[in-house]
Amino acid sequence: MKNKVFILIAAVLMIGLSVSAQDSGTSFGLRGGLNMQNISGKNLSGDKLELSMVPRFHAGIVIAVPIAPDFYFQPGLMFSTKGAKSENNFLGLVDYSVEYNLSYIEMPLSFLYKPLVGKGHFFLGFGPYIAYGIGGKAKLTVGTASNDEDVVFTKDYVPQTDSDWKYFKNFDYGGNLFFGYELSGGLSLQLNTQLGLAKINAERKNSSSDAEFRNTGFGVSLGYNF
């Protein structure tokens, strides 16, 4: 229910901006690309997480609202996938790993500097984002056997030794930084990085834990402005 409310609020905001944009010179764009995602932070014991990056993707729409010459407010509504992979070995005998694939509806709220450079526009942007988890998978592999389980989005949970790794919180937030170049025809290339600030792992009930999981990543995307 909560994810439906979040999506509805985001959709209403985007529709409202699009309606108000008819007389304001606001531009609309499509954007999508590849992310290299990871999860940083600490494990249950408080030690630094040692996880591997995984390829993920994002796609959605952005709206650039002019607020001053060459400066814009650029909200967006994206479908974004994130995650990481943990690879380990038990007593030097058995390899085991857990790969996370988390899906979010994400709203970046960026401020954009976009001056004319040559025949196109250079742009530099930064700002916060908020996101809400709507689904995901956690794939556990032990030796040659693997098992996919649905990620459970919850505030807290009772620890269980066989599934302690699949519980996450819905909400994520953090910051975006990106730059790129837009051709005169509207096509653009963008490099971006994202730093999550929210603790996304669910809390363990009746058990102490120093775990702190945070989404991080960087990527490249193509866009087209109308």
Side-chain angles (χ1 to χ4, degrees):
M1 181 64 182
K2 290 181 179 179
N3 60 335
K4 293 180 180 179
V5 172
F6 180 86
I7 295 170
L8 179 61
I9 292 173
V12 170
L13 176 60
M14 297 302 290
I15 291 172
L17 284 170
S18 67
V19 171
S20 65
Q22 301 301 318
D23 301 317
S24 67
T26 297
S27 64
F28 301 83
L30 301 177
R31 182 159 296 280
L34 175 70
N35 306 329
M36 293 303 297
Q37 291 291 145
N38 206 342
I39 296 176
S40 63
K42 299 185 290 186
N43 61 21
L44 295 175
S45 302
D47 297 324
K48 182 180 178 181
L49 282 175
E50 299 290 347
L51 303 182
S52 301
M53 286 187 171
V54 291
R56 296 292 184 258
F57 72 93
H58 63 277
I61 61 174
V62 293
I63 301 176
V65 182
I67 55 178
D70 295 336
F71 287 91
Y72 299 81
F73 172 57
Q74 182 177 272
L77 187 61
M78 314 292 289
F79 175 75
S80 182
T81 59
K82 305 181 183 184
K85 187 173 184 180
S86 171
E87 298 178 289
N88 302 277
N89 183 274
F90 182 69
L91 298 178
L93 300 175
V94 180
D95 293 325
Y96 66 96
S97 65
V98 179
E99 183 171 351
Y100 303 104
N101 191 349
L102 308 174
S103 298
Y104 292 89
I105 296 296
E106 184 172 306
M107 181 180 291
L109 302 168
S110 304
F111 294 94
L112 192 67
Y113 174 56
K114 190 177 174 182
L116 180 66
V117 177
K119 294 184 178 180
H121 289 83
F122 168 80
F123 59 88
L124 173 66
F126 68 94
Y129 75 88
I130 55 174
Y132 194 89
I134 59 172
K137 291 285 187 178
K139 181 179 180 180
L140 175 65
T141 301
V142 180
T144 58
S146 62
N147 179 43
D148 279 330
E149 290 199 35
D150 290 332
V151 164
V152 178
F153 287 106
T154 180
K155 181 180 178 181
D156 48 38
Y157 68 100
V158 177
Q160 300 178 41
T161 57
D162 61 342
S163 58
D164 195 54
W165 35 268
K166 67 178 183 179
Y167 295 94
F168 289 83
K169 296 178 181 177
N170 288 97
F171 277 104
D172 183 27
Y173 60 85
N176 286 315
L177 176 66
F178 57 92
F179 67 93
Y181 191 80
E182 180 182 318
L183 300 174
S184 58
L187 185 67
S188 65
L189 176 68
Q190 173 179 304
L191 301 177
N192 54 270
T193 184
Q194 186 176 81
L195 177 63
L197 300 177
K199 180 180 174 181
I200 62 171
N201 54 298
E203 303 292 344
R204 290 160 56 96
K205 287 185 176 180
N206 307 318
S207 178
S208 61
S209 170
D210 293 320
E212 294 183 2
F213 292 5
R214 292 181 172 83
N215 284 315
T216 61
F218 64 90
V220 60
S221 63
L222 290 174
Y224 185 80
N225 284 342
F226 297 94

